Amino acid sequence: MENDKKWIAKTPAPPYYAVILTVVPGEDTSGYDEMISRMVELAKSQEGFLGIESAESEIGVIVSYWEKISNIEAWSKNAFHQTAKSLGKQNWYKSFRTRICRVEQEY
Amino acid sequence: MENDKKWIAKTPAPPYYAVILTVVPGEDTSGYDEMISRMVELAKSQEGFLGIESAESEIGVIVSYWEKISNIEAWSKNAFHQTAKSLGKQNWYKSFRTRICRVEQEY
């Protein structure tokens, strides 16, 4: 099966929501890719999940798409997701930023 | 000077706007990095430009931030930017997607 990260998310007509997570990786990123893969699999099973786009070079930019803002709130409270975020802050990220957006146009 | 792509954009308190450009690169991407660098430099001089975050691996995710939607409209009409987009479509991108978003929360 093709790696999902290769593809552009198939999202519906706007409006919908996006979470832009930008991370500056630290020195040691062992275990990071595996955690991201697990989180992507878990996100897919969440209500309102529409897709994910992710790229990593000097920084990482991970954008997930959601039907409603309430879906994002629910996902942010997911216990496994919270554990992954804590691990990220402690072990992998030098710094990071999360932005919640309403997608208004797509073309 | 540090490469700007390494850093997280310093954006103001929301609301502001984001353009998420997701690209699937084609076989031949010669000249692409140079074009992106030029476009980043040019974008910086545009009214309302707040910052840019960009990562490239299997796909490329480039997020630029703007004060107002009208700034994005003006930038989309910039002649050099239009030329770069045409070059991208013709030469570098297998596919791409642009999403215009209102950033509502940042943390």
Side-chain angles (χ1 to χ4, degrees):
Chain A
M1 205 176 78
E2 287 285 0
N3 185 329
D4 288 294
K5 290 203 285 183
K6 271 194 184 172
W7 308 106
I8 292 176
K10 287 186 186 71
T11 39
Y16 53 90
Y17 288 83
V19 181
I20 306 171
L21 171 63
T22 312
V23 304
V24 179
E27 315 275 290
D28 180 9
T29 55
S30 54
Y32 177 68
D33 286 348
E34 194 191 334
M35 185 276 281
I36 286 286
S37 298
R38 283 189 188 198
M39 281 306 109
V40 170
E41 282 310 306
L42 186 60
K44 281 181 188 169
S45 69
Q46 303 304 301
E47 195 179 337
F49 178 78
L50 297 174
I52 193 161
E53 294 167 348
S54 163
E56 303 84 31
S57 43
E58 290 157 310
I59 61 171
V61 183
I62 303 160
V63 187
S64 60
Y65 299 102
W66 303 85
E67 276 176 29
K68 299 176 191 172
I69 199 104
S70 59
N71 303 141
I72 296 170
E73 286 159 3
W75 173 231
S76 77
K77 287 174 190 154
N78 178 287
F80 291 105
H81 187 206
Q82 288 195 328
T83 303
K85 281 190 284 192
S86 297
L87 283 170
K89 287 180 210 179
Q90 282 164 33
N91 300 334
W92 295 308
Y93 301 159
K94 201 181 286 175
S95 58
F96 72 98
R97 207 87 193 125
T98 304
R99 294 177 175 96
I100 314 286
C101 317
R102 184 176 189 270
V103 181
E104 301 190 336
Q105 298 174 47
E106 175 176 343
Y107 49 82
Chain B
M1 204 177 77
E2 288 285 2
N3 185 330
D4 287 293
K5 292 201 285 182
K6 271 193 184 173
W7 308 106
I8 292 176
K10 287 185 186 72
T11 39
Y16 54 90
Y17 287 82
V19 180
I20 306 172
L21 171 64
T22 312
V23 304
V24 179
E27 313 277 290
D28 180 9
T29 55
S30 55
Y32 178 68
D33 286 348
E34 195 192 335
M35 186 276 282
I36 286 285
S37 298
R38 283 188 188 200
M39 281 306 107
V40 171
E41 282 311 306
L42 186 60
K44 281 181 189 169
S45 67
Q46 303 303 301
E47 196 179 335
F49 179 80
L50 298 174
I52 193 160
E53 294 167 348
S54 163
E56 303 84 31
S57 44
E58 290 158 308
I59 62 170
V61 183
I62 304 160
V63 187
S64 60
Y65 299 103
W66 303 84
E67 276 175 29
K68 298 176 191 171
I69 200 106
S70 58
N71 304 139
I72 296 170
E73 285 158 2
W75 173 232
S76 78
K77 288 175 190 153
N78 178 286
F80 291 106
H81 186 206
Q82 288 196 328
T83 303
K85 280 190 284 190
S86 297
L87 283 169
K89 287 181 211 179
Q90 284 164 32
N91 299 333
W92 295 307
Y93 301 158
K94 201 182 287 177
S95 59
F96 72 99
R97 207 86 194 127
T98 305
R99 294 178 175 95
I100 314 287
C101 317
R102 184 177 190 269
V103 181
E104 301 190 336
Q105 297 175 48
E106 175 178 342
Y107 49 82

